Amino acid sequence: MIRALVVDDESLARSNVTVLLRRDPDVDLVGECSSGIEALAQIRRMQPDLLFLDVQMPECDGFDVLELLGSAMPPAIVFVTAHDEYALRAFEAGALDYLLKPFDDARFRRALDRAKASLAHRLTRSRTSNRLVIKDRGEVLFIKVADIDWIEAANYYACLHVGARIHVLRRSLMELESELDATQFCRVHRAAIVNLERIRSLELKDDGEYEVVLETGARLRMSRRFRRRLQSRLGFSPGWSTQ
């Protein structure tokens, strides 16, 4: 059974989603929340597999919820909103799908089927797998995940930076992020994931932005959108502002 939680400050919108979820025999609706603050507590307590999350909510919106959850973020997230301008940001935050209100039953079913497929895929692969298999010029390489310094997005490929070498993997960055150990790897930019053990320092630049400096000397620009998540994974408060 897929444990699902619905978060929306509008009761009618929550009802529309919950009614559709209850029709599916594979889904266990574990609850619904009317605010982002309530959602944080319920997600940490219930640990749902699937989250239907509204974007615009007072005090704590959908993006705030995901940033504050950090590594406790559910494996499958579908944003539900009446505003299409947040779509890119939603996918950068790790959303699996983006439902625009009003939506019909068929569109909802496609989103739910996509979530089911994603969760089923996760069950067949170990999130803590210690090796990645790469085919390169007739050679099959086995790359230890712990040896990866950082991962860079390149369209539909991912470039694994391992010391002085770069290995190209035919996988999306979002797919890799969902399978990597969240206690070891963290996204710092929409196009970069870093091995937390490889971080040497965080440097504040003249323009007020931070760079992540790795032990190898590599410098990665950090997006403000992912600061709180990195802060949570590193386990300290550097006192920076996210505004």
Side-chain angles (χ1 to χ4, degrees):
M1 293 289 287
I2 296 173
R3 295 166 51 81
L5 182 71
V6 179
V7 181
D8 199 309
D9 64 324
E10 297 179 0
S11 59
L12 180 59
R14 290 198 310 275
S15 177
N16 289 338
V17 175
T18 57
V19 166
L20 292 171
L21 286 175
R22 288 193 176 100
R23 295 178 183 175
D24 195 304
D26 296 328
V27 175
D28 177 17
L29 182 62
V30 296
E32 51 184 284
C33 304
S34 60
S35 71
I37 298 298
E38 181 186 359
L40 287 170
Q42 295 285 30
I43 292 169
R44 288 170 177 147
R45 183 173 67 87
M46 297 180 175
Q47 298 182 347
D49 307 301
L50 173 59
L51 179 66
F52 284 86
L53 181 63
D54 186 22
V55 172
Q56 288 193 321
M57 293 181 291
E59 297 182 1
C60 181
D61 66 22
F63 297 112
D64 291 331
V65 169
L66 297 188
E67 288 186 0
L68 291 170
L69 283 173
S71 60
M73 188 168 66
I77 299 163
V78 176
F79 271 106
V80 185
T81 177
H83 307 277
D84 60 0
E85 64 265 28
Y86 299 110
L88 177 59
R89 185 179 175 189
F91 288 116
E92 289 178 351
L96 187 66
D97 209 336
Y98 191 87
L99 280 175
L100 275 175
K101 305 173 186 176
F103 51 82
D104 56 24
D105 290 7
R107 178 64 183 92
F108 182 87
R109 170 53 59 183
R110 289 197 298 272
L112 184 55
D113 286 346
R114 187 177 182 187
K116 285 183 175 183
S118 176
L119 290 168
H121 177 72
R122 292 170 65 90
L123 288 176
T124 61
R125 303 181 65 94
S126 171
R127 290 192 63 193
T128 57
S129 176
N130 59 5
R131 293 194 298 180
L132 291 174
V133 181
I134 298 176
K135 296 179 180 179
D136 183 21
R137 301 175 185 177
E139 182 181 16
V140 178
L141 303 175
F142 298 92
I143 306 298
K144 291 183 179 180
V145 172
D147 291 340
I148 299 173
D149 298 314
W150 66 288
I151 307 172
E152 179 182 15
N155 294 323
Y156 298 104
Y157 296 84
C159 297
L160 311 181
H161 293 256
V162 184
R165 299 192 63 182
I166 299 176
H167 304 281
V168 179
L169 184 63
R170 196 185 294 268
R171 302 273 297 282
S172 70
L173 198 68
M174 184 177 296
E175 185 180 356
L176 279 176
E177 183 181 26
S178 70
E179 296 174 5
L180 292 170
D181 186 349
T183 64
Q184 184 179 7
F185 288 89
C186 182
R187 189 182 289 225
V188 296
H189 188 273
R190 66 183 179 83
I193 296 174
V194 65
N195 185 337
L196 297 177
E197 295 182 359
R198 296 294 194 276
I199 295 178
R200 184 175 68 197
S201 64
L202 303 174
E203 290 191 6
L204 180 63
K205 310 306 291 183
D206 293 339
D207 60 2
E209 298 296 331
Y210 280 85
E211 276 189 344
V212 180
V213 183
L214 305 186
E215 295 290 350
T216 61
R219 292 175 172 269
L220 310 178
R221 200 71 167 175
M222 180 167 57
S223 169
R224 293 189 180 190
R225 195 168 298 162
F226 297 100
R227 285 184 186 176
R228 280 196 226 172
R229 187 179 303 180
L230 180 62
Q231 173 183 332
S232 174
R233 302 284 173 84
L234 292 175
F236 82 110
S237 178
W240 55 41
S241 170
T242 57
Q243 300 299 321

